[in-house]
Amino acid sequence: FPVTILGGISVVSVIASGDTVVSRADGIISQIDIDRSVAEATKKVDLTNREILHTIPIGYKIDGKEALGRPVGMRGSKIETKVFFVVCLAQHLTDLIDIFTDSGIEIEYVVASPIAAAYIAMTENQRQNGAMLANIGAETVSTIVYEHGMPLSLQVFPIGGSDFTKDIALGLKVGVEEAELIKTGRSQGAHSERKLSEIIEARLRDIFEILED
């Protein structure tokens, strides 16, 4: 079915927890109880001018104690669910869907680009053991962190490949078009490889300091 990928600096993750009393008299937890706890977590997310793209339960507690695995079928009096939400600006999402709708394409599902990239570029072993995927695009750097197979953080930063181009233009005193050719190795002009390396390394250092923070 038609799927579209949504990126940009409006995409961000939020983690919230919600709890509810187990509904069955015998204390056996059902999917209904989990759904109710997720709904309570959703109420804690600020959705002013925003829409939820993904709702992913990433942890559970039964009567205040960590529960391993999905708690359906376990016993308890209260279930708490920790939920990983991915949200974006509502207008951003609407504009994207309208582009396809105007072209006669009906979109059934929207995926945040860092999540889509993770399932292409990361192995299951990496997602289980813990890893960050950082995708340096033209205008942004998008990141997603996984551990134990679950997403823990998703952020998009307003820095990217175009900043390298601007740095090269300033550092080597050339035009932006020439700087883009130099960056991509297509320039025929003479320039200092050492100076170019210093410029690129400085910008990369900025990016990795952001990621480390």
Side-chain angles (χ1 to χ4, degrees):
F1 51 87
V3 177
T4 187
I5 307 300
L6 178 64
I9 59 173
S10 76
V11 180
V12 67
S13 64
V14 179
I15 293 179
S17 295
D19 58 66
T20 187
V21 175
V22 176
S23 56
R24 288 181 49 160
D26 59 7
I28 295 179
I29 298 169
S30 67
Q31 184 60 47
I32 292 175
D33 298 317
I34 294 177
D35 292 343
R36 287 170 57 194
S37 65
V38 170
E40 290 300 315
T42 305
K43 294 177 182 179
K44 299 178 182 179
V45 180
D46 182 6
L47 293 178
T48 305
N49 299 320
R50 293 183 175 273
E51 293 279 350
I52 294 176
L53 290 178
H54 300 282
T55 301
I56 306 172
I58 60 174
Y60 303 95
K61 287 184 179 180
I62 299 174
D63 297 334
K65 297 181 179 180
E66 295 284 348
L68 299 178
R70 293 186 70 252
V72 173
M74 297 182 185
R75 291 180 183 272
S77 59
K78 187 171 75 172
I79 175 71
E80 178 182 344
T81 304
K82 186 177 183 180
V83 186
F84 180 87
F85 297 96
V86 179
V87 300
C88 70
L89 287 176
Q91 190 61 52
H92 188 181
L93 178 60
T94 300
D95 290 346
L96 179 66
I97 293 176
D98 285 347
I99 290 174
F100 289 94
T101 301
D102 292 344
S103 301
I105 301 172
E106 182 178 353
I107 298 298
E108 295 187 23
Y109 197 64
V110 179
V111 180
S113 60
I115 289 182
Y119 279 91
I120 296 173
M122 298 176 76
T123 66
E124 178 62 26
N125 188 54
Q126 288 171 328
R127 292 195 295 270
Q128 285 292 335
N129 292 331
M132 169 191 282
L133 174 65
N135 181 12
I136 302 177
E139 302 293 337
T140 62
V141 174
S142 61
T143 67
I144 187 164
V145 179
Y146 275 85
E147 192 171 47
H148 303 306
M150 295 293 182
L152 299 182
S153 174
L154 183 154
Q155 299 290 329
V156 181
F157 303 98
I159 186 172
S162 61
D163 292 285
F164 287 91
T165 303
K166 295 173 186 176
D167 292 344
I168 292 169
L170 289 172
L172 299 184
K173 296 180 173 57
V174 297
V176 173
E177 291 184 0
E178 177 64 16
E180 181 68 21
L181 293 175
I182 293 172
K183 183 183 75 173
T184 56
R186 294 177 294 154
S187 173
Q188 301 300 316
H191 57 269
S192 169
E193 291 292 336
R194 180 177 179 180
K195 180 65 174 177
L196 177 61
S197 295
E198 290 174 350
I199 294 169
I200 293 175
E201 182 180 344
R203 179 57 69 177
L204 281 173
R205 188 181 297 113
D206 289 342
I207 291 175
F208 281 100
E209 284 178 355
I210 291 173
L211 300 185
E212 185 175 6
D213 289 342

